[in-house]
Amino acid sequence: MKNTTLCYLTRDDKVLMLHRTKKHNDVNEGKWIGVGGHVESGESKEMCVRREVWEETGLTLKSLKYRGVIDFLPDKFESERMFLYTSDEFAGEMHECDEGDLKWVEKDQVKSLDLWEGDRIFLKYLVEEAPFFHLKLNYQGDKLVSSELMPRVILASQSPRRRELLEQIDIFPEIIPADVEEFTLETEPSAVVEDLSTQKANATLLKLLRSGQHASDKPVIIIAADTVVVSDGRILGKPASHEKAFEMISALQGRTHEVYTGVTLFFLGSSDGRPALTNRKTFSEMTQVSVYPMSEAEIRAYADSDEPMDKAGAYGIQGSFGKNIREIHGDYTNVVGLPVGRVWNEIKGLWGCN
């Protein structure tokens, strides 16, 4: 499956549309679409959309909103995963595009253009300011034969690592971080992370309900997690300073420690037309991690970098600290911050997803 991006730029109740009329052997020939293109090797989604908009329009994006993921599943061509964005702030002088004609179109006139049928579906979501969505579109030739809106998944965390882990297993979450003070009366590591993950799930659920953005006819999954490192029975959270990071790494080097991640899953459906918590699950996973001996200079160099400052135990196994890991026993993704194998299987078991 190839990865692409698409962006709709808006200003003064108008949308910038591209009429694909110039490109040879263009699968989109004659259609009106947004601006975008293929994600190149080593390029992030955001880097791609910014580059494509600049190349095709001459405009530099100043703001960017990630709105959804569209899976195109045709019978004749390679499948495509498109990352959908909008922007209402940009700069520069617009130039001609070598793939078609650019035109600012009144929002209420977009639906009268020659659009792909699947595009009409997700453009409606964009106009309605729908929350982040994942849509699958099945085509036979040029005909849309089915569309499926995937369950809305909310990650109660701003952690890019947890988001990336979920995206690796084709779960594309909306981010609604839990604003909670991480305090618990529990003392056992597994109980600590399970309690904190439950607090986060509850906080995000409350934010969702207060926002009024929960449509009762659409299922929702909330995923909340908390991770701690345990050394000699002592729980190590995120370091408050580089000196604290140095102390934590000093305690871990040359030894084996444990990483615990607690996860809480909330499943929301509807009851009498109102949102309702229909199921829930809380669990924790533990992974043992052994670290090679490190010199004081090595510890100091790592502790003084930015990498340890937002991570439990003051290290990230997926970063440069990986060179100091001798072995692990258990789930690697649990150490990164979310045991995605367990998460996926709990979701399957409780909701019957495939």
Side-chain angles (χ1 to χ4, degrees):
M1 179 180 286
K2 61 183 178 183
N3 291 333
T4 64
T5 62
L6 192 70
C7 185
Y8 288 94
L9 281 67
T10 62
R11 73 174 187 192
D12 301 328
D13 291 324
K14 293 182 179 181
V15 183
L16 184 61
M17 301 294 293
L18 175 60
H19 192 199
R20 300 288 288 248
T21 57
K22 299 179 181 179
K23 188 176 180 180
H24 185 61
N25 292 328
D26 187 1
V27 68
N28 292 305
E29 184 176 1
K31 299 295 185 182
W32 291 80
I33 64 173
V35 179
H38 294 86
V39 180
E40 297 181 352
S41 178
E43 188 177 45
S44 70
K45 301 185 291 291
E46 184 172 325
M47 288 170 59
C48 172
V49 71
R50 291 182 182 277
R51 173 183 55 77
E52 287 285 348
V53 169
W54 183 80
E55 290 178 353
E56 295 186 9
T57 71
L59 300 175
T60 300
L61 298 179
K62 298 297 184 181
S63 69
L64 194 61
K65 187 174 182 180
Y66 186 27
R67 302 295 299 277
V69 177
I70 316 296
D71 288 342
F72 294 96
L73 307 170
D75 61 341
K76 294 182 178 180
F77 304 102
E78 181 183 1
S79 298
E80 175 184 343
R81 172 160 289 157
M82 186 179 75
F83 303 100
L84 186 62
Y85 294 85
T86 57
S87 176
D88 59 5
E89 188 178 358
F90 36 86
E93 293 293 329
M94 193 165 71
H95 60 55
E96 289 189 5
C97 178
D98 60 6
E99 296 186 359
D101 299 312
L102 293 165
K103 183 178 179 180
W104 288 101
V105 180
E106 297 285 347
K107 288 182 179 180
D108 59 2
Q109 296 300 312
V110 170
K111 60 185 177 183
S112 66
L113 301 176
D114 187 5
L115 307 170
W116 289 103
E117 288 304 307
D119 291 20
R120 294 184 185 277
I121 296 174
F122 64 73
L123 281 169
K124 181 174 181 288
Y125 294 152
L126 295 183
V127 170
E128 294 175 348
E129 291 294 330
F132 189 92
F133 58 89
H134 183 191
L135 179 68
K136 294 189 176 183
L137 302 172
N138 288 277
Y139 279 89
Q140 289 183 357
D142 292 346
K143 182 180 180 181
L144 179 68
V145 294
S146 68
S147 64
E148 181 183 8
L149 184 62
M150 306 304 291
R152 183 181 176 189
V153 178
I154 296 172
L155 178 62
S157 170
Q158 290 183 321
S159 166
R161 296 171 295 280
R162 291 187 176 124
R163 182 176 198 160
E164 290 165 3
L165 287 171
L166 288 172
E167 290 184 349
Q168 286 174 16
I169 61 169
D170 289 340
I171 294 178
F172 295 91
E174 175 183 356
I175 306 300
I176 302 182
D179 300 323
V180 295
E181 182 181 353
E182 297 189 7
F183 173 78
T184 178
L185 295 176
E186 301 291 347
T187 56
E188 290 297 320
S190 59
V192 167
V193 292
E194 289 180 15
D195 183 35
L196 291 174
S197 72
T198 301
Q199 291 180 37
K200 293 177 180 180
N202 281 319
T204 291
L205 174 60
L206 184 59
K207 288 177 71 173
L208 175 65
L209 297 178
R210 284 176 172 172
S211 72
Q213 289 189 337
H214 172 54
S216 59
D217 60 336
K218 294 182 175 65
V220 176
I221 305 172
I222 295 176
I223 302 175
D226 190 80
T227 301
V228 298
V229 169
V230 179
S231 176
D232 289 336
R234 185 166 68 98
I235 294 176
L236 306 179
K238 299 174 183 177
S241 65
H242 291 286
E243 193 58 38
K244 286 294 184 183
F246 178 84
E247 293 176 8
M248 289 182 184
I249 299 301
S250 296
L252 299 178
Q253 64 88 23
R255 308 178 67 186
T256 298
H257 63 272
E258 298 80 40
V259 178
Y260 289 81
T261 296
V263 178
T264 294
L265 305 174
F266 280 177
F267 300 84
L268 277 67
S270 62
S271 177
D272 299 326
R274 295 177 297 178
L277 184 60
T278 59
N279 215 332
R280 62 187 295 167
K281 177 74 174 184
T282 297
F283 61 89
S284 59
E285 288 286 322
M286 186 273 285
T287 303
Q288 289 185 319
V289 181
S290 297
V291 181
Y292 280 110
M294 299 171 63
S295 68
E296 182 175 341
E298 288 177 309
I299 297 171
R300 178 61 68 186
Y302 183 77
D304 286 345
S305 71
D306 292 333
E307 188 171 296
M309 298 312 296
D310 63 341
K311 299 172 180 67
Y315 76 89
I317 194 171
Q318 74 281 8
S320 64
F321 195 79
K323 65 179 178 289
N324 300 305
I325 302 301
R326 183 168 62 189
E327 60 182 359
I328 69 169
H329 293 278
D331 186 347
Y332 169 83
T333 64
N334 186 60
V335 184
V336 179
L338 191 68
V340 290
R342 177 79 183 271
V343 167
W344 175 241
N345 279 275
E346 293 292 351
I347 290 174
K348 285 199 303 180
L350 289 171
W351 209 343
C353 297
N354 294 313

